[in-house]
């Protein structure tokens, strides 16, 4: 344990012992799609995280629904992962099943309609590539998304945003499945998207596909804006180090990075984790950071900012496993 009081997404203990579980799983997906004791550091942009008991890739909605139903029926903990770009995973890993969407669940469809551009993407699709494709097909207003290294599903879950834009602005509908594997269509409004937050988890829904509408613009101007935002990002953000993006949410009326800098914490280290000197809103992995290092550093930052400014910084990154 790191000795912190952060809430965990799942805080189970002990090794998965269900003997029949593997064979039931392999009745749904091929054995190549099931990895045992897969190191989650390979699946997070922080490059941190111990092994998951099972790491299962699902290629279509049917498989996704059946795996989810099996886990629910067998009471085996599970977690749907996107691109792992907003996650801090325990050094002890995850006792349960990590589910990752691939193949058909990564497809993208884009179609010009009278007066607007309609676009649909599988939850596993890379948000940045999707945003560039939208731009090439003259969809405007999604430029902010081209620099966010998440999946479409993770971006909807987080209501990802940057430079004044967010997913909420253009999302119209989603195809979701619930914990029993039922697949449903929902209006975007039902997700109650707000700043880096959605009601997906509260409702027990997982995104399979997301539909967007964009105003039409000029492809060259839109692509130029993407390049400009990308230049701004690489100038201001420590993209040369593994991280999970902004560590803390923006507190009302201020910026987490500014408060952390003004508290004199730039460059502060715990083990291999460091407050970036380029952008104090980021904790970076300088090489061999553990999840414990990151948690301890987050804790020190929260304490210092609370003492200096009486502001509580809320983590933006999601914690997974027993940290
Ligand atoms: C260098 C860097 C820059 C970043 N810049 C930004 C930025 O500008 N703006 C911003 O908002 N974020 C930013 N991020 C954070 C991150 O990229 C976003 O939060 C992104 O939306 C997370 O998507 P993901 O697929 O990686 O999700 P993950 O990190 O894999 O998961 C995040 C959460 O989403 C849930 N989730 C994933 N897929 C699904 C699904 N299909 N259905 C339901 N829930 C799902 C997971 O269960 C988890 O709770 C940045 C990160 C990095 C590393």
């Amino acid at each position: 344990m790191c000795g912190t009081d952060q809430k965990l997404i799942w805080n189970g203990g002990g090794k998965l012992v269900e003997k029949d579980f593997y064979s039931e799983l392999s009745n749904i997906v091929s054995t190549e799609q099931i990895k045992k004791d897969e190191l989650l550091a390979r699946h997070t942009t922080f490059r941190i995280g111990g092994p998951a008991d099972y790491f299962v890739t699902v290629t279509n909605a049917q498989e996704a629904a059946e795996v989810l139903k099996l886990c629910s029926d067998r009471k085996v903990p599970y977690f749907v992962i996107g691109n792992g770009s907003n996650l801090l995973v325990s050094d002890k890993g995850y006792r349960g099943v990590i589910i990752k969407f691939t193949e058909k669940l990564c497809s993208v469809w884009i179609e010009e309609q009278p007066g607007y551009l309609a676009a649909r993407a599988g939850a596993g699709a890379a948000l940045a590539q999707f945003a560039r494709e939208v731009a090439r097909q003259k969809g405007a207003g999604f430029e902010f998304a081209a620099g966010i290294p998440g999946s479409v599903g993770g971006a909807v879950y987080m209501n990802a945003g940057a430079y004044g834009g967010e997913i909420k602005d253009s999302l119209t509908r989603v195809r979701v499945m619930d914990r029993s594997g039922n697949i449903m269509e929902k209006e975007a409004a039902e997700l109650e998207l707000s700043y880096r937050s959605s009601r997906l988890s509260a409702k027990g829904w997982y995104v399979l596909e997301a539909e967007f509408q964009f105003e039409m613009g000029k492809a060259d101007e839109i692509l130029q804006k993407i390049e400009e935002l990308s230049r701004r990002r690489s100038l201001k953000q420590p993209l040369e180090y593994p991280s999970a993006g902004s560590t803390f949410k923006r507190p009302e009326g201020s910026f987490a990075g500014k408060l952390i800098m003004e508290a004199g914490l730039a460059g502060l280290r715990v083990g291999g984790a460091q407050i970036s000197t380029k952008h104090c809103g980021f904790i970076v992995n300088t090489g061999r950071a553990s999840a414990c290092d990151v948690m301890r550093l987050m804790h020190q930052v929260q304490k210092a900012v609370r003492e200096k400014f009486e502001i509580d910084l809320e983590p933006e990154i999601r914690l997974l496993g027993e940290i």
Side-chain angles (χ1 to χ4, degrees), residues 9 43-46 79-88 99-101 122-125 127 144 147-163 165 167 176-177 195-196 198 200-201 205-209 233 237-239 241-246 282 316-320:
I9 292 176
H43 302 277
T44 61
T45 55
F46 237 145
F79 185 84
V80 173
I81 195 177
N83 197 38
S85 65
N86 203 43
L87 293 181
L88 177 62
I99 302 169
K100 176 144 177 131
F101 296 168
L127 182 71
F144 74 89
I148 300 179
S151 65
V152 167
V156 171
Y157 181 95
M158 293 300 299
N159 185 28
Y163 303 113
I167 291 292
V176 296
M177 64 181 172
Y195 174 62
R196 302 301 167 267
S198 69
L200 278 165
S201 171
W205 293 342
Y206 297 90
V207 181
L208 291 170
E209 218 172 85
R233 249 181 211 276
Q237 298 182 358
L239 304 182
Y241 287 104
S243 79
S246 300
F282 282 59
E316 178 167 324
I317 58 178
R318 312 274 301 149
L319 312 176
L320 179 63

Side-chain angles (χ1 to χ4, degrees), residues 11-308:
N11 195 8
K15 208 63 181 144
L16 196 65
V17 286
E18 287 255 342
K19 282 215 177 77
D20 299 333
F21 185 72
Y22 182 84
S23 72
E24 288 190 79
L25 207 48
S26 54
N27 286 336
I28 304 171
V29 296
S30 73
T31 51
E32 290 81 56
Q33 290 167 255
I34 310 169
K35 287 185 182 160
K36 280 187 174 182
D37 297 322
E38 173 73 359
L39 212 54
L40 292 177
R42 294 196 190 120
H43 302 277
T44 61
T45 55
F46 237 145
R47 301 281 169 259
I48 293 174
D53 290 336
Y54 290 94
F55 187 95
V56 178
T57 48
V58 291
T59 60
N60 56 52
Q62 180 71 17
E63 282 183 3
E66 286 184 33
V67 170
L68 221 72
K69 186 170 181 336
L70 174 67
C71 292
S72 297
D73 289 350
R74 297 283 172 267
K75 300 202 171 18
V76 172
Y78 61 87
F79 185 84
V80 173
I81 195 177
N83 197 38
S85 65
N86 203 43
L87 293 181
L88 177 62
V89 180
S90 163
D91 302 314
K92 295 175 192 162
Y94 182 69
R95 304 288 70 81
V97 181
I98 298 287
I99 302 169
K100 176 144 177 131
F101 296 168
T102 60
E103 296 186 23
K104 278 192 186 147
L105 291 164
C106 299
S107 307
V108 163
W109 304 262
I110 300 179
E111 201 173 43
E112 198 173 326
Q113 296 288 338
Y116 70 94
L117 191 75
R120 204 150 45 92
L127 182 71
Q129 281 172 24
F130 176 50
R132 281 181 184 270
E133 196 46 48
V134 166
R136 278 190 282 273
Q137 305 217 24
K138 300 184 279 188
F142 207 41
E143 298 85 348
F144 74 89
I148 300 179
S151 65
V152 167
V156 171
Y157 181 95
M158 293 300 299
N159 185 28
Y163 303 113
E166 55 184 358
I167 291 292
K168 188 175 186 269
D169 302 339
S170 49
L171 185 73
T172 52
R173 285 174 73 76
V174 279
R175 198 161 176 237
V176 296
M177 64 181 172
D178 67 14
R179 294 188 180 115
S180 309
N182 301 309
I183 296 173
M184 302 163 284
E185 302 284 329
K186 299 285 172 191
E187 297 296 322
E190 292 181 68
L191 307 186
E192 298 176 42
L193 299 183
S194 59
Y195 174 62
R196 302 301 167 267
S197 164
S198 69
R199 298 278 296 154
L200 278 165
S201 171
K203 292 182 186 262
W205 293 342
Y206 297 90
V207 181
L208 291 170
E209 218 172 85
E211 273 182 39
F212 300 82
Q213 275 185 21
F214 303 102
E215 282 179 17
M216 301 300 294
K218 292 188 175 139
D220 52 351
E221 286 175 13
I222 300 165
L223 286 163
Q224 211 178 333
K225 189 166 171 196
I226 287 180
E227 295 321 316
E228 169 56 22
L229 294 181
S230 154
R231 262 194 304 278
R232 272 166 72 179
R233 249 181 211 276
S234 45
L235 271 177
K236 297 213 165 135
Q237 298 182 358
L239 304 182
E240 59 280 22
Y241 287 104
S243 79
S246 300
T247 316
F248 299 101
K249 289 189 182 181
R250 197 173 56 222
E252 192 81 32
S254 189
F255 293 96
K258 183 170 176 283
L259 296 173
I260 296 167
M261 191 178 67
E262 287 173 1
L265 303 175
L268 182 70
R269 292 182 80 112
V270 174
Q274 184 180 33
I275 300 293
S276 163
T277 48
K278 197 168 174 186
H279 188 318
C280 289
F282 282 59
I283 289 181
V284 294
N285 176 0
T286 60
R288 290 170 175 258
S290 65
C292 256
D293 291 342
V294 176
M295 283 301 292
R296 289 206 172 102
L297 188 53
M298 283 171 69
H299 219 55
Q300 284 189 25
V301 167
Q302 285 171 313
K303 187 165 176 282
V305 168
R306 195 179 302 123
E307 280 171 8
K308 192 164 169 81

